[in-house]
Amino acid sequence: MDLINPEPIIHERKNLKSNTDRTTTSEDQRDAIDPLEIFEHIRDITDPEHPYSLEQLNVVSEDLIDISDDKSSLRVQFTPTVQHCSMATLIGLCIRVKLMRVLPSRFKVDILITPGGHSTEEAVNKQLNDKERVAAALENPSLVQMVNNSLQGPKP
Amino acid sequence: MSGEELLPQRSGDSLAVHKARLFRKQQDDDEEEETAEEESSAEDVKLQPRIDSIALARGRLSINTDATSPAGSVEESLSRKSGGLKSKSPKQPKPKSPKKQGVRTRFAEDSPETEGERSNSLAGTLSNVGRKLSEAFTFGKSRSSSISRGEEKPAPEPEPVEISAESTHGHTDRVWSVTWSPAGDFLASCAGDKTVRIWSEAGPSGGWHCAAVLEDSHSRTVRSCAWSPGGRQLATASFDATTAIWQRELQGQEWEQVAVLEGHENEVKSVAWSPSGMLVATCSRDKSVWLWESLPGNEFECVDVKQGHSQDVKMVAWHPDGDVLASASYDDTIKLWTESDDEWICAQTLVGHESTVWAVAFNTSGSQMVSCSADTTLRVWNCTSNVDGDPNWKLATTITGYHTRPVYSVDWSHQNVIVTGSGDNAIRCFVQPQQAPSEVPGISLGPGGAFQLLGCKEQAHDADVNCVQWRPHHPSELASCGDDGIIKLWLAHELPD
């Protein structure tokens, strides 16, 4: 079977230190969600094609995550491994579903391809951020199966 | 509008009693048992709608159904043998189905704000004109942990009434759309839980209850529904690629599916009944708009299939005169369709929005149309006649700078107020004053005049507002629904001086 990207570059899994230098004030009952926490949720999503995580393929990284806990807004950018990757929409959908399952419902989430990262990025972005299209896609059992496979995490 | 009677507050106890009484009134024990049995069989055997034959031919689709005589069908619909799909009156809570994939799990994380706090912040966002939206009713179960709203609200705001605290009567998934019956007495809501619920006022003392649940029909999300002009039939459009036609008995709210419109290749997004009641329009992600003729005996015949949009068609809406159909699309355009020599043609394509157009609405006279989009703007279009007498639509004004997320729904009232529902959780009202204001930020002045923000209800829902609609024959009342699974009824009234 022809893979879209037969020779992906594999990166190391990073050891990221959490931001322990937090001033605790009396009103601050709850730590704000930061990019690292988001990254922890999505780093181990498996690429649909290869048995590697999105982090290992450098598809997602912590610096491509913008979050404002106060405004309940989150933007995640991801970089497909190749410009014409036809799995881009599926990867974006996996990221969206994972975040949907773990984040408070108050968050408005935008999933976008890193600018310049894909030949049809506008079209992919539009689909990924059309909630009606996403909802309909997630009623498709075979698609949900594929997403769940990727969300299972790295194979042992 | 000042001094308008606000609906009375109900205390918690009396509300609970009120609900229990209504629930028992719906059905007796026998029927409960019967429908419970039927329900379990429905899981194994797929109930077929009352369709004798379906002729599938390209462009011509005719559904033959049993001619249902109103008089005899009341008894028949209660019988188990009829095989037709019936609505179920609200009954005992079903065992919870396994958690649907994709449903958010971590939503109890925030401590909920009190309504009092929210209303205080609302006061700061009101315009100078002084109107505001007050929550008259809330019905439907919230998926998030929430305290009963309204207890902490300061006077003189009306106390909202939470109709169904149990999950029995509320939708169990996001509510996509709410549609008022033509008389304004019933509200149909459709949701991701594949059901449609009919809501009505429960008696003269106020309060709303779920009069009927239309279920076991669609196999996927029900996205939108439309009442026939007579108020006797309801069309429901679903992601399962079909549109079901339901009919209710002459009195009461016993609904029965009488036809199904098949033909779209994938999700049907919207359905609209023409003002005359003769035509039904549907649209789909397959990029097409279908026109169906309603014939006697609950027969529906496809009269035309319109290709033209280059992408997913999100919504169809009829002009009040009934001779023009507007369709809004993912391709960022609005198309206007008219009938010419037994065929429907695309008379005009309106370009301007910079992203998906989610909805359109006409004003009462049909001289103007407003569209809302994922580009966070509203565009108002004026209708003028060109030299041949054909209608020609032009952009009058663009309303920008208010919404911060896609605008999913828009409606135009008989009092000329535009209401919007947006992904930023807010409901906003806009009006076109007689005299244009000197300077109002965010409004671009066009030849049609400027629109002014009348009021904004932030956090109208705890999630995206999917649909807003003014209530017919009840000025200043509107219904909204959202991703939080809740349906709310609002009253727009003047602030006290």
Side-chain angles (χ1 to χ4, degrees):
Chain A
M1 188 178 78
D2 284 344
L3 294 176
I4 288 160
N5 184 6
E7 289 169 33
I9 301 163
I10 313 300
H11 300 255
E12 287 296 317
R13 183 187 171 84
K14 300 188 186 76
N15 281 325
L16 293 161
K17 293 198 186 72
S18 63
N19 185 6
T20 51
D21 186 22
R22 283 190 185 139
T23 52
T24 44
T25 59
S26 52
E27 308 105 66
D28 217 301
Q29 299 296 335
R30 170 180 60 78
D31 290 332
I33 302 175
D34 62 1
L36 175 60
E37 189 173 342
I38 302 294
F39 185 64
E40 291 287 348
H41 287 304
I42 64 176
R43 67 196 298 185
D44 289 324
I45 296 173
T46 324
D47 181 88
E49 249 197 329
H50 313 93
Y52 299 110
S53 74
L54 295 188
E55 175 184 17
Q56 287 171 315
L57 294 168
N58 211 28
V59 172
V60 296
S61 74
E62 198 188 346
D63 47 294
L64 288 176
I65 297 170
D66 289 297
I67 184 165
S68 164
D69 194 297
D70 297 334
K71 295 183 195 150
S72 300
S73 76
L74 166 64
R75 184 186 67 183
V76 175
Q77 290 179 302
F78 69 101
T79 319
T81 51
V82 286
Q83 274 283 329
H84 53 273
C85 175
S86 61
M87 297 282 180
T89 313
L90 181 56
I91 291 170
L93 189 62
C94 290
I95 295 172
R96 187 173 278 290
V97 171
K98 183 67 200 286
L99 293 173
M100 214 157 62
R101 290 179 184 172
V102 300
L103 282 180
S105 59
R106 63 184 168 91
F107 271 93
K108 308 291 181 189
V109 183
D110 292 319
I111 313 279
L112 303 162
I113 291 182
T114 315
H118 196 273
S119 52
T120 65
E121 69 187 67
E122 267 187 44
V124 176
N125 287 343
K126 196 171 183 181
Q127 270 213 90
L128 285 176
N129 295 291
D130 180 322
K131 70 173 188 183
E132 189 186 59
R133 291 287 275 259
V134 171
L138 294 177
E139 287 188 341
N140 179 335
S142 50
L143 190 54
V144 172
Q145 184 65 45
M146 288 175 77
V147 170
N148 283 333
N149 286 341
S150 284
L151 261 44
Q152 265 171 13
K155 296 186 174 63
Chain B
M1 208 57 61
S2 59
E4 183 160 21
E5 189 68 32
L6 298 171
L7 295 142
Q9 177 190 6
R10 308 188 70 86
S11 72
D13 284 343
S14 64
L15 177 61
V17 168
H18 183 64
K19 273 189 291 178
R21 207 172 57 232
L22 282 171
F23 172 69
R24 262 189 278 286
K25 191 176 93 174
Q26 294 294 333
Q27 55 192 104
D28 55 22
D29 289 341
D30 291 345
E31 193 183 342
E32 204 172 296
E33 220 176 69
E34 192 174 70
T35 50
E37 275 178 74
E38 198 167 8
E39 161 107 277
S40 56
S41 73
E43 303 298 330
D44 313 317
V45 178
K46 193 176 169 206
L47 286 177
Q48 295 297 323
R50 297 245 295 250
I51 298 172
D52 284 340
S53 64
I54 305 175
L56 274 171
R58 172 103 185 108
R60 294 270 149 202
L61 182 64
S62 172
I63 310 268
N64 295 317
T65 64
D66 286 331
T68 344
S69 65
S73 62
V74 174
E75 298 309 310
E76 215 184 323
S77 69
L78 292 177
S79 142
R80 217 189 134 176
K81 292 177 199 151
S82 65
L85 287 159
K86 295 163 270 299
S87 68
K88 303 231 166 47
S89 308
K91 51 187 182 293
Q92 297 299 340
K94 297 176 238 183
K96 273 213 165 96
S97 55
K99 195 157 57 182
K100 198 173 104 166
Q101 288 168 353
V103 171
R104 301 180 191 105
T105 55
R106 197 182 145 189
F107 46 69
E109 164 247 26
D110 302 304
S111 60
E113 296 167 43
T114 62
E115 199 64 26
E117 283 173 23
R118 283 208 204 101
S119 60
N120 287 338
S121 63
L122 163 67
T125 66
L126 293 171
S127 74
N128 295 330
V129 179
R131 291 225 192 155
K132 66 169 186 165
L133 287 174
S134 306
E135 194 170 326
F137 288 121
T138 304
F139 44 107
K141 176 175 161 60
S142 169
R143 283 191 291 142
S144 59
S145 61
S146 65
I147 53 178
S148 160
R149 292 189 179 85
E151 286 163 17
E152 281 101 335
K153 250 190 174 167
E157 300 205 16
E159 305 290 340
V161 178
E162 182 111 7
I163 296 291
S164 61
E166 310 105 47
S167 59
T168 318
H169 306 289
H171 282 292
T172 53
D173 202 327
R174 75 200 324 167
V175 185
W176 281 105
S177 178
V178 282
T179 320
W180 289 103
S181 62
D185 48 358
F186 297 107
L187 183 69
S189 63
C190 50
D193 62 9
K194 309 173 200 170
T195 72
V196 176
R197 278 158 214 257
I198 313 285
W199 305 86
S200 66
E201 273 178 300
S205 47
W208 286 76
H209 79 291
C210 179
V213 181
L214 279 52
E215 58 187 346
D216 294 332
S217 167
H218 289 298
S219 53
R220 293 200 176 172
T221 287
V222 187
R223 177 63 180 86
S224 86
C225 52
W227 294 80
S228 63
R232 185 111 184 273
Q233 292 187 323
L234 189 71
T236 59
S238 169
F239 283 178
D240 67 8
T242 72
T243 306
I245 308 289
W246 302 76
Q247 183 166 291
R248 70 175 175 89
E249 305 309 325
L250 282 170
Q251 275 88 34
Q253 287 292 319
E254 274 295 320
W255 288 85
E256 190 169 14
Q257 184 173 328
V258 296
V260 69
L261 313 181
E262 293 179 333
H264 279 297
E265 288 168 28
N266 44 49
E267 301 91 60
V268 188
K269 302 287 174 89
S270 175
V271 58
W273 223 297
S274 72
S276 65
M278 301 227 322
L279 294 170
V280 174
T282 59
C283 65
S284 160
R285 178 168 65 86
D286 66 9
K287 306 171 194 165
S288 67
V289 173
W290 287 51
L291 286 139
W292 309 78
E293 194 174 348
S294 171
L295 301 169
N298 291 321
E299 205 172 306
F300 287 83
E301 190 176 288
C302 175
V303 297
D304 213 341
V305 176
K306 300 322 301 175
Q307 311 286 356
H309 279 295
S310 57
Q311 294 281 355
D312 187 359
V313 189
K314 297 296 197 186
M315 197 230 198
V316 280
W318 288 93
H319 186 277
D321 295 341
D323 47 8
V324 177
L325 177 73
S327 60
S329 169
Y330 185 98
D331 66 11
D332 308 349
T333 71
I334 300 155
K335 281 185 182 283
L336 297 160
W337 308 86
T338 55
E339 197 173 8
S340 160
D341 295 330
D342 261 356
E343 209 201 347
W344 286 77
I345 56 160
C346 176
Q348 202 179 350
T349 301
L350 303 180
V351 173
H353 278 296
E354 290 161 13
S355 188
T356 299
V357 187
W358 279 102
V360 298
F362 290 95
N363 66 352
T364 314
S365 65
S367 61
Q368 291 183 300
M369 177 179 72
V370 62
S371 56
C372 64
S373 165
D375 67 6
T376 74
T377 72
L378 303 177
R379 266 155 231 259
V380 181
W381 312 80
N382 282 355
C383 182
T384 57
S385 289
N386 60 19
V387 285
D388 298 324
D390 295 326
N392 186 256
W393 294 79
K394 282 205 173 86
L395 179 67
T397 189
T398 304
I399 302 172
T400 62
Y402 289 97
H403 307 86
T404 55
R405 299 290 298 180
V407 191
Y408 291 116
S409 179
V410 67
D411 196 20
W412 208 320
S413 78
H414 289 291
Q415 286 72 40
N416 239 7
V417 182
I418 291 175
V419 65
T420 64
S422 169
D424 59 16
N425 305 0
I427 295 174
R428 294 175 178 82
C429 288
F430 297 88
V431 78
Q432 190 173 22
Q434 297 301 86
Q435 62 281 10
S438 47
E439 67 273 342
V440 181
I443 306 268
S444 68
L445 296 171
F451 277 80
Q452 190 180 358
L453 179 72
L454 200 56
C456 172
K457 177 69 180 178
E458 307 267 9
Q459 295 301 116
H461 287 265
D462 289 332
D464 290 5
V465 182
N466 290 326
C467 188
V468 287
Q469 201 192 28
W470 293 106
R471 187 178 181 188
H473 305 293
H474 291 79
S476 301
E477 277 187 44
L478 68 105
S480 70
C481 65
D483 278 354
D484 54 1
I486 306 241
I487 302 155
K488 296 192 183 188
L489 183 59
W490 302 88
L491 198 60
H493 66 93
E494 305 277 2
L495 270 183
D497 288 346

